[in-house]
Amino acid sequence: CALQLLKQARLHALRPSTVTYNATISACEKAEQWSSAVLLFGNLHEHGLQPDVITYNATISACRHGQQWALATILLTDMRL
């Protein structure tokens, strides 16, 4: 599972990049785990990383699969700022 790989990377003192988070969020989206995708999106800032358009797109898509329309709208608005 992509979430496990990300956890392992952190345990081994590897610093994940935005690309790593994008891939993991995308995997969560495909597995219909919207809450994990949103949690990862929030973790980006904790690790000193900034979301890019791919991060937003994958997270919004995960919210769409989970029918989290209000959250998807908030992310879309945030992306436009």
Side-chain angles (χ1 to χ4, degrees), residues 3-31:
L3 289 171
Q4 293 299 330
L5 288 173
L6 186 60
K7 287 179 186 178
Q8 288 294 326
R10 286 191 215 129
L11 287 174
H12 289 64
L14 298 174
R15 187 166 189 255
S17 67
T18 301
V19 173
T20 307
Y21 274 91
N22 290 348
T24 308
I25 290 170
S26 182
C28 290
E29 179 258 325
K30 288 175 180 38

Side-chain angles (χ1 to χ4, degrees), residues 1-72:
C1 172
L3 289 171
Q4 293 299 330
L5 288 173
L6 186 60
K7 287 179 186 178
Q8 288 294 326
R10 286 191 215 129
L11 287 174
H12 289 64
L14 298 174
R15 187 166 189 255
S17 67
T18 301
V19 173
T20 307
Y21 274 91
N22 290 348
T24 308
I25 290 170
S26 182
C28 290
E29 179 258 325
K30 288 175 180 38
E32 297 183 7
Q33 296 179 3
W34 71 268
S35 59
S36 294
V38 171
L39 182 65
L40 287 168
F41 183 90
N43 286 343
L44 273 169
H45 295 289
E46 292 176 19
H47 295 286
L49 300 170
Q50 295 296 317
D52 60 17
V53 68
I54 296 167
T55 316
Y56 277 101
N57 187 41
T59 308
I60 290 167
S61 184
C63 289
R64 179 180 57 86
H65 283 294
Q67 298 183 354
Q68 301 300 311
W69 309 116
L71 187 51

